[in-house]
C-alpha cells in the first residue's frame, strides 16, 4: 500500500491508474480509523478498481472551542489498520497542501438550507468546513466515487447536495452505520467516553430504535415521540442537542403520511458528542 503526502505524488499514481482505465473511489477520513472506516473501504472497492483513503484532520470544520487540538491522531496505527484492506493508497496531506492559500484565504464551498439545522446549528461553520475540504479532496483525487458513513446523516445529504448543485462527476455512496455489539455507533470520538459513560452510551441508539419501531408501527405523533425520547435520555444523563423526526430526503418537517423518515439525534455525554440516526421506510 502506497502512502503519499504531496499533490504531485498523488497525481502521478492517479494518472498511472487512469492510463490503465481503472476507476478510483475515495474514502475521506480524519484518521483514527476503526472498523466503520474499514467497512467504507470495503464498499469503495466494490465501486472501483482503486481505493484512496485520505487522512486529514481538517481544521476548518472545527469551531474555535471544539476538539481540533485533541482530536485523536494515529497515522502509524492507521497505516497498519489499512494494510490488510483493499486500500491502494493513503493520502495524508498537511494543511498547506490542502489549503495552499491558507485557511483564512481559502475559497469556500457552502451549502445553504440543509446545513442550517441540527449539527449545522450546533456547530456554526462546521458544514462549510466539510464541503470545502471534500471539494478540495475531490479536486486532488478526482475520484469516480466517494463513500461516506450513514452515521453522519446530515453530512452525507449536504455532500450529495453539493455534488448535484456543482455537477461534480462523483458518485456518492452511503455506507450503513457500523455498531458495537451493544448498538453504539462506532466513532473516533467514543474514545472520549469514561467507562461509566461508555456503559450508558448505547441508550442513544436504543432511544432512536424505539422511536423507529413506533413509526414503523404507524405512530404519527412526532412531537410526542420526540418528547418521550428526550426525557428518557435526559434522565440517563445525556445533554440532548436535538432528537428529531424528519423527512429522510431533505430533513424537512414531515407530514403524517410521509413514508421515508429519519430519526436523528445528537447528545453530549461527558466530553463526547455522540450523533446517530435510524432511517425508517414505511
Ligand atoms: O466525516 C468525516 O470524517 C469528515 O467530516 C470528512 C468527511 C472526512 C471531512 O473532513
Amino acid at each position: 500500500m502506497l502512502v503519499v503526502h504531496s499533490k504531485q505524488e498523488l497525481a502521478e499514481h492517479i494518472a498511472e491508474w487512469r492510463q490503465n482505465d481503472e476507476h478510483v473511489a475515495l474514502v475521506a477520513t480524519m484518521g483514527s480509523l476503526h472498523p466503520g472506516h474499514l467497512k467504507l473501504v470495503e464498499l469503495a472497492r466494490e465501486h472501483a478498481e482503486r481505493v484512496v483513503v485520505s487522512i486529514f484532520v481538517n481544521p476548518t470544520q472545527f469551531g474555535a472551542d471544539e476538539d481540533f487540538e485533541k482530536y485523536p491522531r494515529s497515522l502509524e496505527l492507521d497505516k497498519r489498520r489499512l494494510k490488510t484492506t483493499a486500500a491502494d493508497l493513503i493520502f495524508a496531506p498537511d494543511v498547506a497542501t490542502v489549503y495552499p492559500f491558507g485557511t483564512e484565504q481559502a475559497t469556500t464551498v457552502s451549502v445553504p438550507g440543509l446545513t442550517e439545522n441540527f449539527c449545522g446549528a450546533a456547530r456554526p461553520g462546521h458544514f462549510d468546513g466539510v464541503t470545502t475540504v471534500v471539494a478540495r479532496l475531490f479536486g486532488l483525487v478526482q475520484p469516480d466515487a466517494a463513500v461516506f458513513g450513514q452515521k453522519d446523516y446530515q453530512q452525507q445529504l449536504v455532500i450529495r447536495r453539493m455534488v448535484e448543485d456543482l455537477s461534480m462527476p462523483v458518485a456518492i455512496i452511503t455506507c450503513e452505520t457500523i455498531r458495537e455489539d451493544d448498538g453504539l455507533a462506532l466513532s473516533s470520538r467514543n474514545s472520549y467516553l469514561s467507562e461509566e459513560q461508555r456503559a450508558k452510551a448505547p441508550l442513544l441508539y436504543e432511544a432512536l430504535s424505539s422511536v423507529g419501531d413506533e413509526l414503523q408501527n404507524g405512530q404519527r405523533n412526532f412531537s410526542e415521540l420526540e418528547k418521550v425520547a428526550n426525557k428518557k435520555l435526559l434522565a440517563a444523563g445525556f445533554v440532548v442537542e436535538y432528537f428529531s423526526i424528519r423527512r429522510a430526503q431533505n430533513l424537512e418537517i414531515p407530514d403524517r403520511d410521509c413514508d421515508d423518515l429519519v430519526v436523528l439525534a445528537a447528545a453530549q455525554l461527558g466530553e463526547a458528542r455522540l450523533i446517530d440516526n435510524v432511517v425508517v421506510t414505511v
Side-chain angles (χ1 to χ4, degrees):
M1 193 186 48
L2 301 157
V3 182
V4 307
H5 301 279
S6 75
K7 274 185 204 190
Q8 290 75 9
E9 285 171 286
L10 173 69
E12 278 166 25
H13 292 294
I14 304 272
E16 191 189 315
W17 297 340
R18 293 278 177 217
Q19 261 178 5
N20 297 332
D21 283 336
E22 290 174 317
H23 298 93
V24 179
L26 170 67
V27 176
T29 80
M30 298 206 298
S32 185
L33 304 179
H34 52 64
H37 292 111
L38 306 188
K39 187 78 186 171
L40 302 183
V41 173
E42 208 179 287
L43 187 57
R45 186 64 183 76
E46 288 174 24
H47 291 266
E49 293 81 12
R50 297 289 182 175
V51 177
V52 173
V53 177
S54 63
I55 297 183
F56 178 64
V57 184
N58 172 38
T60 67
Q61 69 188 76
F62 290 81
D65 52 357
E66 291 186 357
D67 57 343
F68 174 66
E69 293 302 338
K70 78 166 202 199
Y71 194 85
R73 290 160 171 87
S74 53
L75 185 58
E76 289 312 311
L77 196 59
D78 289 343
K79 284 186 202 167
R80 289 207 289 279
R81 283 185 181 132
L82 286 170
K83 233 179 187 154
T84 53
T85 69
D88 294 283
L89 184 148
I90 297 176
F91 177 47
D94 61 10
V95 175
T97 301
V98 176
Y99 294 100
F101 294 97
T103 52
E104 294 301 317
Q105 296 300 313
T107 304
T108 59
V109 180
S110 185
V111 173
L114 259 181
T115 57
E116 275 156 25
N117 290 326
F118 308 114
C119 291
R123 305 182 65 189
H126 166 69
F127 284 121
D128 288 357
V130 170
T131 42
T132 296
V133 79
V134 170
R136 280 160 192 272
L137 291 168
F138 285 179
L140 290 163
V141 178
Q142 307 266 309
D144 301 284
V147 185
F148 296 91
Q150 188 194 308
K151 183 178 79 67
D152 298 291
Y153 191 86
Q154 189 177 12
Q155 169 173 282
Q156 57 87 35
L157 279 188
V158 169
I159 291 168
R160 282 177 185 278
R161 175 70 63 82
M162 170 185 78
V163 163
E164 187 181 346
D165 200 16
L166 297 180
S167 308
M168 291 173 158
V170 184
I172 303 299
I173 295 143
T174 302
C175 181
E176 61 173 323
T177 303
I178 305 301
R179 301 180 179 282
E180 302 280 7
D181 290 345
D182 58 11
L184 177 65
L186 297 191
S187 163
S188 308
R189 288 192 170 98
N190 291 350
S191 63
Y192 300 160
L193 294 166
S194 69
E195 211 174 299
E196 194 190 333
Q197 291 156 356
R198 173 63 190 82
K200 268 187 198 167
L203 284 175
L204 183 63
Y205 180 57
E206 237 175 83
L208 288 162
S209 302
S210 122
V211 170
D213 291 346
E214 298 261 23
L215 292 169
Q216 200 74 62
N217 293 336
Q219 165 65 266
R220 281 296 177 273
N221 190 340
F222 299 140
S223 58
E224 183 58 24
L225 289 171
E226 291 167 354
K227 212 163 80 189
V228 171
N230 248 294
K231 231 170 133 185
K232 222 191 274 175
L233 289 169
L234 280 173
F238 289 79
V239 178
V240 182
E241 213 173 78
Y242 60 81
F243 191 106
S244 203
I245 301 164
R246 291 294 172 118
R247 284 182 183 276
Q249 301 279 327
N250 52 21
L251 304 187
E252 282 172 11
I253 296 172
D255 46 33
R256 291 179 65 88
D257 41 332
C258 177
D259 51 12
D260 203 4
L261 299 161
V262 60
V263 195
L264 306 148
Q268 196 84 28
L269 195 54
E271 296 277 287
R273 181 175 180 274
L274 305 176
I275 64 171
D276 202 351
N277 62 80
V278 297
V279 173
V280 182
T281 308
V282 187

